[in-house]
Amino acid sequence: MKKGLTVFLILFLLVGCNNTKTTKPDKKPEETKYLTKMEMNEKLFGYATEIYNAKTYTKVEKTNGEYFISLKNLKEKYNYDISMFLNPTTHDKCDQEKTGVSFDIDNVRNLEYKDAPILIMIYCD
């Protein structure tokens, strides 16, 4: 009787375990978060600070006494992700030629910079 009960219990466990279905909870699609202009400014300033500290702003030509790196150049010459630079309302891309960072190394604008001679330009209308 004990052998029969043991065999039955083993078969029950084997059959019962094989028939269990595991269902994964439905994944919600990831919600796209659009940056505010202030967040874009902070992101660009972070990129610019890295470039300034590495002194790699010279990968672009100096224009009007400043080095200007557009979003397009940030992507192509510096391999930065620019996909988040979208108008938060219309979700259109920011102007990739006008939006960017300027390095006023020679202080041609005659401004008093706090940490580094970095100016941010955002055109996302």
Side-chain angles (χ1 to χ4, degrees):
M1 181 73 176
K2 284 185 178 180
K3 282 186 179 180
L5 186 58
T6 306
V7 171
F8 174 75
L9 187 57
I10 292 172
L11 285 174
F12 176 75
L13 289 173
L14 289 174
V15 172
C17 290
N18 288 336
N19 287 336
T20 58
K21 291 183 181 178
T22 56
T23 57
K24 294 180 182 178
D26 292 335
K27 288 186 178 180
K28 293 181 182 177
E30 286 188 32
E31 197 172 304
T32 304
K33 182 185 179 295
Y34 295 96
L35 300 179
T36 64
K37 288 197 179 181
M38 181 59 90
E39 291 169 327
M40 286 184 224
N41 189 351
E42 291 168 0
K43 190 72 160 172
L44 277 175
F45 191 78
Y47 289 170
T49 300
E50 290 175 8
I51 292 168
Y52 179 75
N53 290 336
K55 296 186 181 359
T56 56
Y57 46 82
T58 57
K59 285 185 181 181
V60 295
E61 292 288 321
K62 203 179 215 185
T63 307
N64 298 327
E66 299 176 338
Y67 296 97
F68 177 74
I69 302 173
S70 66
L71 283 181
K72 182 179 177 184
N73 284 334
L74 280 171
K75 180 180 180 181
E76 293 175 358
K77 294 185 181 203
Y78 296 89
N79 297 317
Y80 281 104
D81 179 18
I82 62 166
S83 63
M84 75 288 294
F85 292 98
L86 302 170
N87 180 304
T89 307
T90 64
H91 312 301
D92 292 334
K93 288 182 181 180
C94 295
D95 188 309
Q96 297 201 354
E97 296 292 332
K98 292 181 183 177
T99 300
V101 294
S102 185
F103 299 89
D104 187 10
I105 304 302
D106 300 325
N107 200 9
V108 294
R109 293 189 186 222
N110 203 19
L111 297 173
E112 202 170 305
Y113 296 100
K114 183 178 178 184
D115 295 321
I118 297 171
L119 298 165
I120 307 296
M121 288 79 151
I122 297 177
Y123 293 90
C124 292
D125 299 322

